[in-house]
């Protein structure tokens, strides 16, 4: 404990004369950091793709390493991560399957069953994700959003003041040549917070 | 002794790209605060800070690879001056990065200055050091500027073979 507080206060003196314009930002952050031990709010976007689960696994292994037993004993150190899953909204009008090609409104029963299926799907994904978090002894909260994944995730990071957004590199669009899916790319450009894009290991060995 | 050996084996490599912009130095600082300082002294990552020093010819032509034949003599005279200037910038950036690392008591950091375009330099550094994470800052240019000026963070997020972290400065902070 003494070691961490020592490093927290020392930079206040050392950081002062070195930098000009960034001093104000640093000085304001330092005291807060020393007190709260810089709990980072991490949000991980999960969907059905294996890439997003690998991203979660990577996050749990690297960011939330509680390898030191001393840290694990201290209740403060356990950080919360937010798992977010975005459901695509079911279009109520769709599937011009008939020969006429005219769109028709889906019957309410169809809508209901699709909605149920989506909820079950989300529940499955999130329970798997929660299980992974539990195994790594990390607290997690889940968030289900409905809408376009890219927009919803970026909005969620803003509203929740996330410190770091973690996404897989490729979601459901399985274009193998692209190293970065459109969703992750969109989030990389539009999210207001830092973003971590986790690439699956297989791609590294392919090239 | 065995513990430290195990620590070193487990340690993965993190490459942070820095240039003279405040944003990239902020990215380094942010990374150290979140990923290194809380874990002192057993840092989970080995940190390598890479600065890409542009080659003098590219600095002049600003992306236009064709130099007119008539301009060559004039350009050649100017090249050593520009190169010296770029070296000064590289030294300044390295010093700033060292200061940031020292202020957070993160030692055992490798600082590298490599010549070339930042995009290639960073991706090469990732390959060379078998990095598991590449960290870059992002200016947050709009789509048009990004297309015209090119974006290092964009290129790296597409082409680097490892996890990429793009650090943005929150707009609400002063």
């Amino acid at each position: 404990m003494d070691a961490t507080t020592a490093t927290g206060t020392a930079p206040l003196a050392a950081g002062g004369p070195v930098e000009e314009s960034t001093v104000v930002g640093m000085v304001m952050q330092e005291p807060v950091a020393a007190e709260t031990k810089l709990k980072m709010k991490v949000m991980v976007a999960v969907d059905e793709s294996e890439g997003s689960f690998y991203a979660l696994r990577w996050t749990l292994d690297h960011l939330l390493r509680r390898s030191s037993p001393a840290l694990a004993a201290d209740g403060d150190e356990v950080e919360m991560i937010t798992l977010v899953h975005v459901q695509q909204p079911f279009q109520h009008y769709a599937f011009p399957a008939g020969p006429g090609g005219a769109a028709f409104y889906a019957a309410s029963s169809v809508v209901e069953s699709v909605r149920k299926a989506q909820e079950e799907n989300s529940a499955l994904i999130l329970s798997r994700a929660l299980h992974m978090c539990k195994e790594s002894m990390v607290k997690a909260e889940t968030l289900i959003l409905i809408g376009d994944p890219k927009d919803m995730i970026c909005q969620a990071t803003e509203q929740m003041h996330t410190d770091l957004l973690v996404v897989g590199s490729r979601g459901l669009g399985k274009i193998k040549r692209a190293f970065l899916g459109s969703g992750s790319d969109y989030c990389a450009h539009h999210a207001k917070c830092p973003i971590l894009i986790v690439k699956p290991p297989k791609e590294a060995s392919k090239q | 002794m065995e513990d430290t050996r195990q620590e070193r084996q487990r340690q993965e490599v993190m490459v942070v790209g820095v240039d003279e912009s405040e944003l990239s130095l902020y990215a380094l600082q942010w990374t150290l605060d979140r990923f290194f300082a809380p874990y002192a002294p057993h840092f989970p990552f080995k940190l390598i800070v890479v600065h890409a020093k542009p080659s003098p010819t590219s600095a002049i032509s600003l992306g236009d690879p064709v130099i007119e034949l008539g301009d060559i003599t004039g350009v050649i005279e100017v090249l050593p001056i520009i190169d010296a200037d770029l070296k000064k910038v590289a030294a300044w950036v390295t010093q700033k990065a060292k200061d940031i690392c020292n202020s957070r008591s993160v030692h055992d950091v490798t600082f590298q200055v490599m010549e070339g375009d930042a995009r290639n330099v960073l991706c090469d550094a990732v390959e060379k050091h078998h990095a598991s994470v590449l960290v870059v800052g992002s200016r947050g240019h709009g789509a048009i500027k990004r297309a015209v000026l090119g974006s290092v963070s964009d290129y790296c997020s597409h082409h680097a073979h490892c996890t990429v972290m793009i650090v943005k400065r929150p707009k609400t902070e002063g």
Side-chain angles (χ1 to χ4, degrees), chain A residues 19-79:
Chain A
E19 317 206 10
E20 313 100 317
S21 51
T22 53
V23 156
V24 175
M26 274 170 63
V27 167
M28 275 165 54
Q29 276 182 13
E30 291 301 296
V32 178
E35 286 162 18
T36 61
K37 289 177 193 164
L38 264 180
K39 278 197 197 147
M40 185 161 57
K41 293 190 73 172
V42 179
M43 182 181 285
V44 182
V46 290
D47 60 8
E48 295 92 359
S49 70
E50 279 307 310
S52 68
F53 279 98
Y54 180 75
L56 175 60
R57 167 59 48 206
W58 198 95
T59 311
L60 293 170
D61 288 341
H62 289 81
L63 302 191
L64 302 164
R65 261 195 202 189
R66 300 295 167 212
S67 51
S68 163
L71 286 174
D74 187 355
D76 278 346
E77 291 291 338
V78 178
E79 290 170 357

Side-chain angles (χ1 to χ4, degrees), chain A residues 26-171:
Chain A
M26 274 170 63
V27 167
M28 275 165 54
Q29 276 182 13
E30 291 301 296
V32 178
E35 286 162 18
T36 61
K37 289 177 193 164
L38 264 180
K39 278 197 197 147
M40 185 161 57
K41 293 190 73 172
V42 179
M43 182 181 285
V44 182
V46 290
D47 60 8
E48 295 92 359
S49 70
E50 279 307 310
S52 68
F53 279 98
Y54 180 75
L56 175 60
R57 167 59 48 206
W58 198 95
T59 311
L60 293 170
D61 288 341
H62 289 81
L63 302 191
L64 302 164
R65 261 195 202 189
R66 300 295 167 212
S67 51
S68 163
L71 286 174
D74 187 355
D76 278 346
E77 291 291 338
V78 178
E79 290 170 357
M80 272 276 271
I81 69 170
T82 308
L83 301 165
V84 62
H85 174 65
V86 185
Q87 286 178 2
Q88 303 265 11
F90 174 59
Q91 308 294 344
H92 293 224
Y93 52 92
F95 319 125
F104 61 92
Y105 284 87
S108 54
S109 56
V110 175
V111 172
E112 267 311 301
S113 58
V114 172
R115 202 174 285 165
K116 257 195 179 174
Q118 277 190 332
E119 277 174 15
E120 277 180 24
N121 194 25
S122 301
L124 217 80
I125 292 169
L126 287 172
S127 72
R128 185 178 161 196
L130 277 170
H131 187 68
M132 283 169 79
C133 295
K134 239 190 186 178
E135 279 177 349
S136 304
M137 293 192 301
V138 173
K139 277 193 236 171
E141 58 176 7
T142 60
L143 188 62
I144 300 181
L145 300 171
I146 302 178
D148 183 32
K150 316 188 273 271
D151 292 324
M152 298 311 293
I153 291 175
C154 292
Q155 277 180 33
T157 56
E158 277 182 69
Q159 283 171 6
M160 298 189 59
H161 303 290
T162 313
D163 293 318
L164 182 66
L165 170 66
V166 180
V167 295
S169 61
R170 284 208 317 261

Side-chain angles (χ1 to χ4, degrees), chain B residues 149-167:
Chain B
L149 296 176
S151 161
V152 175
S153 60
D154 217 22
Y155 183 89
C156 291
S157 61
H158 280 79
H159 292 84
H161 292 149
C162 67
T163 304
V164 177
M165 182 152 71
I166 303 174
V167 180

